[in-house]
Amino acid sequence: MKRVLGYLRKAVEDFNMIQEGDRIAVGVSGGKDSLTLLKALKLYQYFSPVSFHIEAITLTMGFEDFDVSPIEAFCKELGVPYTVKHTLIGKIIFEVRKEKNPCSLCARMRRGALHDVALELGCRKVALGHNLDDAIETFFLSLFYEGRFNTFSPVTYLDRKGITVIRPLIYAPEPEIIGAARRHSLPVVQSPCPAAGHTQREEMKKLMRSLAKTFPDIRTRFLTALKSKHNRNLWD
């Protein structure tokens, strides 16, 4: 967790993600990334130069086999207020609309619901657990499926709702997060989504693993490219 915390601290400082008095809603899906983000942000509070508040939010998707009790216990252990928002997004996507490519619509609906709950809790910032590998995979997805060079930004202001989305783990490689989650026995809850493991992003993960074998420093190279002032237009 020390290394992950170092990545988080650098990202927060480089992109000025957190200001004095911020109320930050952390989207906690129960996966390794969001749980690691929540713990790292809580640790960062202890030595942050500014004071900020954290709220954890989990959206249920309408699937019966999604147990949030381990997440609830984890938040209680950290001393972080926890809110569960029950939705029927999963049922709408898979049973009503029967989407063949559900991920895009699902992501939009989840973002909208998360932002609404954040505002209800008085939070004008939302922290997401996207890591460096996610940024690279998004770049590949954009390239191969949309024909453009693009990935998400470390900080995004959404003027329609007055919310700023931050991604404090943007510098953290996925293997580091996996290791931290295992060493600290974070209560990872498996996704009940029927499409889990069978998405276009999963194909990009396989590509990333293959490339990393041939180019061990690919993550560092990609991050250097993204941070270059000449490539800032790649950020979404």
Side-chain angles (χ1 to χ4, degrees):
M1 192 62 69
K2 184 177 180 180
R3 289 177 64 87
V4 171
L5 189 57
Y7 290 120
L8 180 144
R9 181 177 184 176
K10 181 168 176 53
V12 167
E13 293 175 352
D14 283 358
F15 298 102
N16 194 27
M17 290 183 176
I18 300 176
Q19 285 82 45
E20 179 69 36
D22 275 348
R23 291 180 59 84
I24 303 173
V26 182
V28 182
S29 66
K32 65 184 186 317
D33 300 307
S34 61
L35 292 172
T36 301
L37 171 62
L38 184 62
K39 185 173 181 67
L41 271 177
K42 184 62 181 179
L43 292 173
Y44 181 65
Q45 273 189 319
Y46 294 120
F47 59 86
S48 169
V50 298
S51 175
F52 62 94
H53 175 77
I54 301 173
E55 296 266 352
I57 301 173
T58 294
L59 303 178
T60 66
M61 304 293 288
F63 301 119
E64 295 180 359
D65 54 346
F66 184 58
D67 180 13
V68 300
S69 59
I71 307 173
E72 184 177 16
F74 182 62
C75 290
K76 185 175 182 180
E77 177 186 331
L78 293 178
V80 174
Y82 181 52
T83 299
V84 179
K85 174 66 173 180
H86 297 288
T87 80
L88 294 176
I89 293 174
K91 289 185 177 295
I92 292 171
I93 296 291
F94 291 100
E95 297 180 14
V96 177
R97 297 184 58 125
K98 299 180 180 178
E99 292 283 329
K100 294 181 179 179
N101 298 300
C103 296
S104 180
L105 177 60
C106 182
R108 290 198 300 272
M109 294 180 71
R110 285 188 291 111
R111 281 196 300 268
L114 178 61
H115 296 165
D116 288 343
V117 178
L119 290 174
E120 290 173 7
L121 295 172
C123 299
R124 287 288 175 176
K125 282 191 176 174
V126 173
L128 302 179
H130 295 131
N131 58 51
L132 177 56
D133 286 52
D134 291 323
I136 300 173
E137 291 157 12
T138 299
F139 174 83
F140 287 147
L141 283 168
S142 180
L143 174 62
F144 298 144
Y145 291 98
E146 299 174 2
R148 64 191 182 116
F149 296 114
N150 188 63
T151 189
F152 50 72
S153 173
V155 178
T156 305
Y157 178 67
L158 307 175
D159 54 4
R160 291 181 61 184
K161 288 195 173 182
I163 281 179
T164 298
V165 176
I166 61 175
R167 296 175 169 92
L169 297 183
I170 189 68
Y171 287 166
E174 187 169 50
E176 294 279 3
I177 294 175
I178 293 173
R182 287 175 178 171
R183 286 191 296 273
H184 290 268
S185 301
L186 300 187
V188 175
V189 179
Q190 295 301 315
S191 171
C193 175
H198 305 284
T199 64
Q200 292 173 343
R201 182 169 292 275
E202 187 61 31
E203 293 303 312
M204 297 304 103
K205 287 183 179 295
K206 293 177 182 177
L207 174 61
M208 182 64 192
R209 288 193 291 267
S210 177
L211 288 172
K213 292 178 181 179
T214 305
F215 307 101
D217 61 347
I218 186 173
R219 294 179 177 88
T220 302
R221 297 285 187 178
F222 188 87
L223 181 58
T224 299
L226 281 181
K227 292 173 66 178
S228 168
K229 64 180 180 180
H230 302 294
N231 293 331
R232 283 305 174 91
N233 62 328
L234 294 181
W235 301 117
D236 183 11

